Amino acid sequence: MDKAELSQFDVSRETMERLEKFEQVILKWNPKINLVSKNSLKDLWRRHIVDSVQVFRSVPNPVDHWVDIGSGGGFPGAIVGILCAAESPDTNVTLIESDQRKCAFLRNVARECSAPIKVITGRIEAVEPQNADVLSARALADLSDLLEFSERHLAEKGLAVFPKGETWKKEVDNSRARWSFDLETVKSQTEPSAVILKIKGVARV
């Protein structure tokens, strides 16, 4: 799957230009701070960009406040911001990242791609609670840890969206020992064994 596959997600020409600009920025920065592995860089569109677009598309719009935690190389947070620029300009997109160099990269993406992104430098568990309508995280932590972050940063009726690989069922089962939550799964369109977990009603058991 390459960027031509984005057609299934109904991406405008304006958004495509921003995504291509994002590609240029990440190719420039990656040798300095290793945002994505060298192997996955060869498959940047399918593995990272298209995968992030489908996370955005899994959520009903409009959204007042979308928060992405552990944003790193910008997946899915920066891609969400780029999509919101054209499709949901009133959405506030906040990215939380503890690595200052990666924060500099994310702020550069915001400028270069004209994306409405706010970047907070800090540890997820120390940042002021964000009261997010949507909370996302990709390749960050085990689901049980993500639910702890959700408890801190998600609004009472908010939605958490977490892409997960083939071990997702085990993570869900293990999390049930500590957490109560409502779960919906969406099959990934980029990886056959992967899903997007859509979670509401997070509470400690």
Side-chain angles (χ1 to χ4, degrees):
M1 184 181 289
D2 58 20
K3 59 186 173 184
E5 296 292 332
L6 274 174
S7 59
Q8 68 182 304
F9 294 109
D10 191 26
V11 171
S12 69
R13 187 196 307 180
E14 178 187 3
T15 298
M16 179 59 82
E17 289 172 355
R18 284 189 168 106
L19 291 172
E20 288 171 342
K21 184 65 179 177
F22 173 86
E23 178 188 27
Q24 294 170 19
V25 176
I26 202 167
L27 289 174
K28 179 181 176 182
W29 280 70
N30 202 63
K32 305 173 191 172
I33 58 174
N34 194 32
L35 298 159
V36 299
S37 71
K38 194 175 289 186
N39 282 340
S40 72
L41 194 62
K42 300 170 188 172
D43 199 11
L44 180 67
W45 283 86
R46 183 185 68 85
R47 287 278 299 276
H48 298 295
I49 297 176
V50 177
D51 193 51
S52 296
V53 171
Q54 72 170 339
V55 173
F56 177 79
R57 286 282 186 263
S58 73
V59 174
N61 273 313
V63 172
D64 287 336
H65 190 197
W66 186 310
V67 177
D68 185 64
I69 54 176
S71 299
F75 308 111
I79 304 302
V80 167
I82 288 169
L83 289 159
C84 283
E87 299 182 23
S88 186
D90 292 333
T91 297
N92 294 306
V93 180
T94 301
L95 313 187
I96 301 176
E97 170 57 49
S98 61
D99 186 310
Q100 294 205 20
R101 296 174 307 160
K102 290 178 180 176
C103 287
F105 160 75
L106 293 168
R107 292 186 179 104
N108 187 248
V109 168
R111 288 192 299 272
E112 295 284 340
C113 302
S114 303
I117 294 169
K118 175 185 177 183
V119 180
I120 297 176
T121 306
R123 295 183 63 80
I124 302 160
E125 63 271 25
V127 169
E128 181 181 349
Q130 294 296 301
N131 199 38
D133 298 298
V134 175
L135 185 75
S136 61
R138 180 178 182 266
L140 175 65
D142 183 84
L143 180 59
S144 190
D145 292 331
L146 293 176
L147 293 173
E148 190 144 351
F149 297 143
S150 300
E151 183 185 46
R152 180 174 183 80
H153 291 296
L154 196 60
E156 184 179 352
K157 295 184 178 179
L159 173 68
V161 284
F162 301 135
K164 284 289 180 180
E166 59 185 359
T167 62
W168 68 269
K169 288 182 181 177
K170 183 178 180 182
E171 287 193 46
V172 169
D173 290 342
N174 290 343
S175 297
R176 296 281 190 197
R178 289 180 55 203
W179 300 97
S180 168
F181 51 92
D182 299 322
L183 173 67
E184 177 189 349
T185 60
V186 178
K187 187 173 173 57
S188 171
Q189 296 183 48
T190 58
E191 295 293 339
S193 59
V195 297
I196 299 168
L197 304 180
K198 299 175 67 174
I199 294 173
K200 287 186 172 182
V202 177
R204 290 180 183 268
V205 172

